[in-house]
């Protein structure tokens, strides 16, 4: 079975040199990518880039929280959404973020919520559904998503890894390949890969990993897709 492959770049807020370098590379490789934008922090230059040539075909945006602000006060349990916050506050922030995304990106905004730090709870799922979003993308599934009428786009491969001091480690190509092949064999219609453009280093290892993914696509094992396409599939 061919799995749908999605790439997700998190923490998009400014058109930094690191962001532009990654964006140009993936655009040249013609590999569709979803950019998880922090709504309240999205700068005009970033908006222009993400509404430029190729938008809606080779890239689109998703909603990455509101301000990417930690409300828990624990660096190992950080959360902008989740048990540290009541439903009403989560709903208000998600609605505000969705309104910003619609205004700034219009049809290039896929109504998918990406909770910062991958942390969310049942209230988050219900709030995202009440705010009109159609799916949530994170590293773990919560059954409340189904009750809220949301699809789930799970991430299987984390490109970046971090030490106990939360500093990024160099990319590990053998690990990335092993994690990808393991996810390919696991049940499910999608294979999600996420990363942070600020922590990719010189892009040499990342480039080799992307070529590995493209080889799997060429063999018919993976089929690249944006969130907007996944939202239309019935088996997810």
């Amino acid at each position: 079975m061919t799995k749908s492959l999605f790439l997700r770049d998190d923490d998009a807020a400014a058109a930094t040199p690191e962001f532009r370098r990654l964006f140009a590379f993936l655009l040249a490789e013609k590999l569709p990518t979803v950019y998880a934008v922090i709504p309240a922090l999205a700068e005009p230059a970033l908006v222009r880039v993400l509404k430029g040539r190729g938008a809606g075909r080779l890239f689109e945006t998703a909603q990455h929280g509101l301000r990417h602000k930690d409300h828990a006060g624990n660096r190992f349990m950080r959360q902008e959404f989740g048990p540290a916050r009541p439903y009403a506050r989560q709903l208000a922030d998600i609605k505000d973020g969705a309104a910003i995304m619609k205004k700034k990106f219009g049809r290039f905004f896929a109504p998918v919520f990406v909770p910062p730090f991958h942390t969310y709870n049942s209230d988050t799922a219900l709030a995202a559904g009440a705010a009109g979003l159609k799916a949530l993308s994170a590293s773990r599934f919560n059954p409340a998503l189904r009750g809220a009428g949301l699809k789930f786009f799970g991430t299987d491969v984390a490109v970046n890894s971090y030490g106990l001091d939360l500093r990024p480690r160099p990319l590990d190509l053998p690990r990335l390949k092993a994690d990808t092949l393991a996810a390919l064999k696991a049940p499910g219609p999608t294979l999600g890969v996420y990363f942070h453009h600020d922590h990719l280093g010189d892009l040499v290892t990342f480039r080799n990993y992307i070529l590995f993914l493209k080889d799997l696509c060429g063999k018919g094992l993976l089929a690249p897709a944006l969130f907007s396409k996944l939202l239309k599939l019935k088996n997810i």
Side-chain angles (χ1 to χ4, degrees), residues 104-181:
K104 289 186 174 182
F105 298 100
R107 62 190 178 92
F108 303 128
F109 165 50
V112 179
F113 188 69
V114 180
F117 318 114
H118 287 259
T119 305
Y120 72 101
N121 64 354
S122 299
D123 282 345
T124 315
L126 294 172
L133 300 179
K134 304 301 181 183
L136 185 145
S137 181
S139 58
R140 62 178 180 82
F141 173 76
N142 185 317
L145 292 168
R146 299 299 186 222
L150 298 178
K151 292 179 179 289
F152 177 66
F153 303 151
T155 51
D156 305 287
V157 180
V159 172
N160 305 102
S161 62
Y162 302 86
L164 290 177
D165 58 0
L166 300 184
R167 293 182 180 179
R169 294 170 172 161
L171 302 192
D172 183 343
L173 185 59
R175 175 189 68 81
L176 292 174
K177 289 183 175 181
D179 288 353
T180 302
L181 293 175

Side-chain angles (χ1 to χ4, degrees), residues 22-44:
L22 170 76
F23 179 83
F25 167 65
L26 290 174
L27 194 62
E29 291 295 329
K30 294 182 171 56
L31 200 56
T33 305
V34 176
Y35 292 93
V37 174
I38 304 170
L41 304 185
E43 297 181 358

Side-chain angles (χ1 to χ4, degrees), residues 11-25:
D11 297 357
T16 61
E18 293 81 6
F19 174 85
R20 289 182 180 274
R21 181 184 59 164
L22 170 76
F23 179 83
F25 167 65

Side-chain angles (χ1 to χ4, degrees), residues 170-178 204-206 208-210 212:
L171 302 192
D172 183 343
L173 185 59
R175 175 189 68 81
L176 292 174
K177 289 183 175 181
V204 172
T205 302
F206 185 72
N208 288 330
Y209 178 57
I210 291 299
F212 171 72

